[in-house]
Amino acid sequence: MDLLKVENLRMYFETIRGYVKAVDDVTFTVSTKESLGLAGESGCGKTSTALSILRLLPSNGRIVGGSITLDGEEVAHMSEKEVREKIRWKKASMIFQGAMNALHPTYTIGTQIAEAILKHEDVNKKDALERAGKLLELVGLEAAKVDRYPHELSGGMKQRAVTAMALACNPQLVIADEPTTALDVIVQAQVLRVMKELQSRLDLSWILITHDLSMIAETCTTCAIMYAGKIAEYGDVVHIFKEPLHPYTQKLITAFPSVLGPKMELSSISGFPPDLLNPPPGCRFHPRCPHAMDICRKKEPVMTEGRKSQHVACHLY
Amino acid sequence: MKKDTTVEVNNLVKHFDIKLGFFKTLTTREAPHVHAVDGVSFEIKRGEIFGLVGESGCGKTTTGKCLIRLIEPTYGEVFFKGVDVLALAREQDVRKLRRNMQIIFQDPYESLNPRMSIYDIVAEPLHIQKVVEREDELSNRVSQALEDLDLIPPEEFLYRFPHELSGGQRQRVAIARAFVLRPEFLVADEPVSMLDASIRSEVLKLLLSLQQRFHTSFLYITHDIALARHMCDRIGVMYLGKIVEKGTTDDVVQKPLHPYTEALIAAVPVPDPTARRIEVVIKGEVPSAINPPSGCRFHTRCPYAMDVCRKKEPPLIELDGDRHVACWLRGDQKDASS
């Protein structure tokens, strides 16, 4: 069953120089227990998409079209009060990029987790703190850590604590935005394992936002590759990594070195992502695409099913 | 010192003092130190890329900076083509040396002066080293350096400022600045970790092509062993200020001998969803470098830790084929410990 359905979502930022089309006609679904990896370079709209789902956009960001259906409810045009009461924390929560460094230094970990529970549910403080302890156990920390202050925890522990916080009100969907960027490889592997375990134990759905495709290959079941505010390719993770269709995906996947297998030359893409104030006409990737044809410069490609469970927006298919 | 060795490092140590309050200094007998680098030795041959791999705080950047004397090491020896780098006392001698030893820093958003034009940034080393006298020759050298890094046409970049460039272009300017003197040795401190994937590989390719053209020796510092595998001829794996394993890249990556190297390799995500992975067995995080664990510094996290590991520090022993490892599990060390 589809838990989250994003259809033709458009989210623009209003600036003095015009509209920045951060998210432009994005469509994807996340079903129960699915983990979707949202990948792309910086500025491609991955975080903006996530913020739209939770309606956490900055004041100049506006959803100008499309719909977001979460567990049967339309989120895109809900009132702020309704979003706060029904959606955030309870249905969907988010682990922000660098959240572990945004913990309040003068409150204990337990108080900070309990705060979310107290705000959203009718429980007393003692029960909320007890639940905070249970949540910490869930992510592999001792329950006694509720009395600790952030500076007493290591980076990996803090990341686990904010993961526990995201689970405070039993959401069905958790969005993790670059959850491991500040961590070392070994700790990163530990945190990713915790996330995977939680998913199967709590029947969660995840959206993992990252620029690191290797991380998606390790943890996700489906994958969407974004480029300049649009989804270039979307589908099953094995298909996308084994037989990528979009020229951008093909290049991006082989741009990551691997410790396993034969040593291969890394591919590179000349040029850089376009300015979203004035995106290029036609396909937004055409100035950097090795297969660009005449039609690519003129007409925008539509998302088509290139192969079974693999959608691609490219004129080649 | 062998003939083809560009850089030789022997037992390099850097301890940083910790500032204590007044009363603490009265009660503490010995001032605590951060053991950033603790007895590191390696050599880099001419035209070779030597990688230093390890997690943050293992001392890899400090090592790199000590080599070109941006940080004064506590003790140890560094030779550059037979010259004792640490013995140079006069500033002009150090400066002369830097003509052949340059560094590329990690973050191109911080390493370029925002008030200088690209021309001034790349020309500055030439000015300081006084290698060219005529102004037209200077601008030729600058243009050439930019062209070498695919900043084409150079005229389009010369009079721009760093904020007008993208991250990838900035890092290429930083590399051009380091290469404009045609140094024989270059320290590259995570030169691509701040760049996006699609741009990263392009910068790496440029570095490799320059290295091949000018036979530059590199110290390539990175936390990413997959990247080190791609770039380096030989690598040294560092943990808490020490090299725990050293050898040719293929040997180390394909047959790691130290449990820490094993864990580092197992922990790197692989861009292949069907790849079979080894589980990471290492628990916990890197301990503090102020009071490093006794014996083998890795014993607190090592799945194979034995009694001897807690008590005695394993020396870095040499195995066949230029392979070095510091672990009680390997080689004849079991006998040595008894």
Side-chain angles (χ1 to χ4, degrees), chain B residues 274-331:
Chain B
T274 53
R276 283 191 56 208
R277 298 309 313 279
I278 324 146
E279 273 291 295
V280 182
V281 282
I282 304 294
K283 290 196 172 58
E285 290 172 50
V286 186
S288 150
I290 298 173
N291 281 312
S294 62
C296 171
R297 293 188 174 184
F298 188 58
H299 87 250
T300 52
R301 301 169 77 194
C302 183
Y304 315 110
M306 307 171 291
D307 256 357
V308 57
C309 306
R310 281 175 266 274
K311 287 175 202 140
K312 244 174 103 180
E313 199 174 315
L316 191 69
I317 53 155
E318 189 169 354
L319 307 170
D320 298 342
D322 194 29
R323 194 74 193 278
H324 292 75
V325 65
C327 179
W328 288 122
L329 286 170
R330 306 292 167 193

Side-chain angles (χ1 to χ4, degrees), chain B residues 157-171:
Chain B
F157 294 93
L158 287 177
Y159 300 104
R160 287 211 249 169
F161 285 86
H163 74 265
E164 296 172 85
L165 305 184
S166 69
Q169 289 172 333
R170 281 178 204 228
Q171 193 60 302

Side-chain angles (χ1 to χ4, degrees), chain A residues 41-42 154 156 184 187-188 190 193 217-218 241-242 256 258-261 263-264 266-270 288, chain B residues 55-56 169 196-198 201-202 205 225-226 229-230 264 269-274 277 279-280 282 284-285 301:
Chain A
E41 296 171 77
S42 34
S154 68
D184 273 314
V187 181
Q188 168 180 312
Q190 292 164 354
R193 194 169 62 190
E218 294 235 330
F241 277 81
K242 289 292 173 187
F256 286 90
S258 172
V259 273
L260 301 179
K263 214 154 136 181
M264 278 188 293
L266 301 184
S267 61
S268 57
I269 312 173
S270 55
R288 301 174 78 187
Chain B
E55 292 175 274
S56 39
Q169 289 172 333
D196 261 317
S198 74
S201 42
E202 211 170 54
K205 270 187 192 163
I225 199 162
R229 180 190 180 208
H230 185 76
L264 261 189
V270 173
D272 180 357
T274 53
R277 298 309 313 279
E279 273 291 295
V280 182
I282 304 294
E285 290 172 50
R301 301 169 77 194

Side-chain angles (χ1 to χ4, degrees), chain B residues 201-250:
Chain B
S201 42
E202 211 170 54
V203 173
L204 292 176
K205 270 187 192 163
L206 280 168
L207 274 179
L208 283 176
S209 75
L210 287 171
Q211 185 259 345
Q212 266 150 25
R213 236 172 87 194
F214 302 120
H215 303 290
T216 322
S217 308
F218 266 73
L219 177 69
Y220 193 94
I221 297 168
T222 178
H223 66 279
D224 185 349
I225 199 162
L227 192 63
R229 180 190 180 208
H230 185 76
M231 289 294 289
C232 305
D233 302 311
R234 287 190 308 133
I235 55 177
V237 178
M238 278 187 86
Y239 186 75
L240 272 181
K242 290 194 177 280
I243 288 186
V244 295
E245 181 163 5
K246 186 164 76 166
T248 61
T249 307
D250 288 340

